[in-house]
Each structure stands twice: as C-alpha cells, then as structure tokens.
Amino acid sequence: MRPMHGIVIIVPMVHQRRPRPRLSSSSYAQDIAPSIPAAATPPGTASTAPPTAGLDPESWSALLAPRLAQFAGVARHEHVTRAAQDMNVPQSTLSRAMVRLEQDLGVALFARKGRTVSLTPAGRAFLTSVEGALAEVERAAEAVRADADPASGKVAFGFLHTMGSETVPELIRAFRADHPRIRFQLVQNYGEAMLERLRAGDLDLCLTSPVPEAPDLVARRLDEQRLRLVVPDDHRLAGRRRIRLAEASDETFVTLEPGYGLRRITDDLCEAAGFRPRVAFEGEEAETLRGLVAAGLGVALLPPPAVARPGVVELTVTAPRAVREVGVAWLDGHPDTPPVAAFKRFLLSRRGHLLPG
C-alpha cells in the first residue's frame, strides 16, 4: 500500500521591484570578443549573440557568465589597465565590458577614480557570489579532467547482480594489473535499469543479459552461460542429472521480477517448452531464489552459483537449449574518455572467456 502524501501550497509574498532592464543581444560580441570580426549578416536578418548551452538567451546566466571572470579580475586588481594586462585583453574591451555589466544589472559595482577602481557595497556583495561561482566552475573543470585522465581516470560501469560475486571482481582485478590507478564507479542492478542509466549518462558501459538490441545502443556479445533447473534435494527429480524443461511444466517456479533479463529468458524458455510457469515468488537476486528452492517453495532456472549451495540439486536442461547471452553495451555515438576506451577494449578482448568455468 502506497502512503498518502499531503500537499502543502506555499504562496510567496509579492514584492514590488523595478523591471529588469532589456538586455542587449549584441553585448556578448561587443564586450567579450570585439577583436573577432563579426560574420556577415544577410540583409534583413537580425544579428543574434552566440547562445550559451542549456540557457535561455534572455537569462541572467547566459548574459553574465562570460563577464564574471573579468569582473573578478578588475575587483582583484582595483585597476582596469593592470587587470586587462593580466587577462591579456585590450583595456578598452575590459572597460566597456564592466560598463555594460553595470548597465545590464542597473547597479554601480565600482567607484572610479582615474584608472583605479574600488568596489561599491553592491560590488562587494556581487563579488562574493561571483567568486563562489567561479570556484565551483574550477572544481567542475578539474573533476572532468581528472575523470578523463588516461592513467587515473574514472569508468562508470554497471553489471548484473549475478555477475557481482565472481565475474566482475575478476575482470577488475585483471584490468587493474595493467591500469592500477584507474578508478571505478560501480553500479549493480538489473538489465533494464542499467540501460536506463546508460541512456541518462550515468554509466559508460554495462555488462548485461540478454544482449540489448536498440537503435541508440551498441552491444557486443561476449559470452554465454548455461542455465540449470534448480530443484530441492528431496524433489522427485533430484535423482536426475538431465531434464527436458517440459518435464517441469507442472512445477511451481520462483523467479526474478518482471523487467529482469533472467525473468524474460525464463518465460521465453518455458514458452518454447510448451507451458507458462506458475510463479510462487518473484525476487530480486538469484541466490535468494536458490535459497527458496532449498526451502521447498518451488524450482528455478538459474545460472551456476559461485559456491555450491546445500539443499538443492542443479539439473542440466537438454531442451530447449537453456543459455543466456552476456554482453557489453554503450551509447551509440557517445565519445569515450581514455580510461573508458581502455576498459572497453579489455572487455572485448575477453570474448568467449568472460565467465568463469
């Protein structure tokens, strides 16, 4: 049962404030890069400023972002000429940029005396926020550069729960033998959830099953894993070594939840064997299912365990062919950083011997 949530409506107080001044669409070209000739504009076509990615061209962020570092530089030097020399821009360019900044904000940021300047109270308040914003940009730039470093960068890697106890630790151990400083951000989940995170940009690569087929993804088959019918050790079939899946048509199954790749494979194999499984329990981890089989709750189609579990017998399925394909997937057209490219090459080199045994 999902809990009910109350809704709180907050009505903001309305304050009178002066209208925001109309911002000049040409201020970027005039103030930031006047030394770059403007491209010829066809007659009758309005000239527009270069857009700032992801920002409304009319927003304060789009307008002010290019000038924040210039403002901070002038504030630090308290001298326009020295600030211009430090930033390697013409003094006239910097002067115009600061005047335009004050005009756009409608606030005097500097008190001028000859070529020296000092901050007004509004300028000091603005500088505090500007320095914080610039420091955050600096940290972000350093972080993305560090993540892309060929020797010590980061790989965001997703994998299935059933790969977590043995396969993925062994892969990372082998890869780090040649790339000891590369860092991993690991995500363990079921297949569909990992593909969603791949599309959202949270993952660089994911190890999944079944191997996905989608126009926005690239996927490569790496290996296949036999599935076994797991039964309790006191089950009527426990004395067998092999079984046709149709012989289990009357059994109760424990399976993974819908959306899990192994659940889809189980349903497809049962359909190929001519029946629809009766499901007593839907879980999230294969080893939980194996434990419930040992408890007598049902039977299950599962990959081999990393460590043999008492209380169950694992039967080879002879028909239909019970395997799951395991592959690696990534976003089509998505550029790789050097560490991601190195790990991708490593995974592809393991084709045919990705899985233990």
Side-chain angles (χ1 to χ4, degrees), residues 126-140:
F126 190 53
L127 178 64
T128 300
S129 295
V130 166
E131 288 179 331
L134 293 175
E136 192 63 33
V137 170
E138 187 78 13
R139 284 191 290 270

Side-chain angles (χ1 to χ4, degrees), residues 11 38 61 64 76 84 116 124 159 170 179 183 338 352:
V11 181
S61 298
L64 300 181
R76 180 172 61 252
T116 64
R124 285 193 296 272
F159 56 94
E170 170 57 25
H179 304 83
R183 298 167 287 124

Side-chain angles (χ1 to χ4, degrees), residues 195-323:
L195 296 182
E196 289 177 10
R197 297 193 66 171
L198 195 64
R199 291 184 171 104
D202 297 334
L203 294 176
D204 299 310
L205 304 164
C206 70
L207 199 62
T208 188
S209 176
V211 180
E213 295 181 7
D216 60 334
L217 299 178
V218 179
R220 296 288 182 266
R221 178 186 177 278
L222 295 179
D223 215 337
E224 68 177 24
Q225 188 174 44
R226 286 194 171 274
L227 302 179
R228 300 169 178 172
L229 185 70
V230 184
V231 302
D233 61 5
D234 58 355
H235 191 273
R236 63 180 180 86
L237 298 172
R240 303 271 296 274
R241 295 181 60 188
R242 297 177 176 82
I243 187 173
R244 290 179 296 107
L245 190 56
E247 296 178 72
S249 60
D250 293 332
E251 299 294 332
T252 299
F253 280 71
V254 292
T255 71
L256 295 179
E257 294 176 350
Y260 283 70
L262 188 56
R263 170 61 181 270
R264 177 147 55 98
I265 293 170
T266 296
D267 290 345
D268 290 346
L269 287 172
C270 291
E271 181 179 359
F275 69 97
R276 183 176 180 177
R278 292 183 294 111
V279 176
F281 174 80
E282 296 174 332
E284 297 180 352
E285 291 193 359
E287 288 311 301
T288 298
L289 302 185
R290 197 171 257 106
L292 294 175
V293 170
L297 193 60
V299 302
L301 279 168
L302 296 173
V307 178
R309 185 185 186 103
V312 299
V313 174
E314 311 215 357
L315 310 178
T316 300
V317 178
T318 58
R321 187 168 182 266
V323 298

Side-chain angles (χ1 to χ4, degrees), residues 25-26 29-30 36-50:
S25 64
S26 62
Q30 292 174 353
I36 301 175
T41 304
T45 303
S47 175
T48 58

Side-chain angles (χ1 to χ4, degrees), residues 70-71 73-99 102 110-118:
Q70 292 179 325
F71 166 75
V74 174
R76 180 172 61 252
H77 286 283
E78 295 188 334
H79 197 283
V80 176
T81 301
R82 286 198 291 269
Q85 291 171 345
D86 187 44
M87 289 183 280
N88 197 29
V89 297
Q91 182 269 332
S92 59
T93 298
L94 191 57
S95 293
R96 286 199 306 271
M98 294 303 97
V99 170
E102 291 176 308
F110 298 104
R112 292 165 174 82
K113 187 175 182 181
R115 293 190 177 183
T116 64
V117 295
S118 60

Side-chain angles (χ1 to χ4, degrees), residues 21-41:
R22 182 67 179 171
L23 307 180
S24 169
S25 64
S26 62
S27 61
Y28 182 97
Q30 292 174 353
D31 297 340
I32 303 308
S35 60
I36 301 175
T41 304

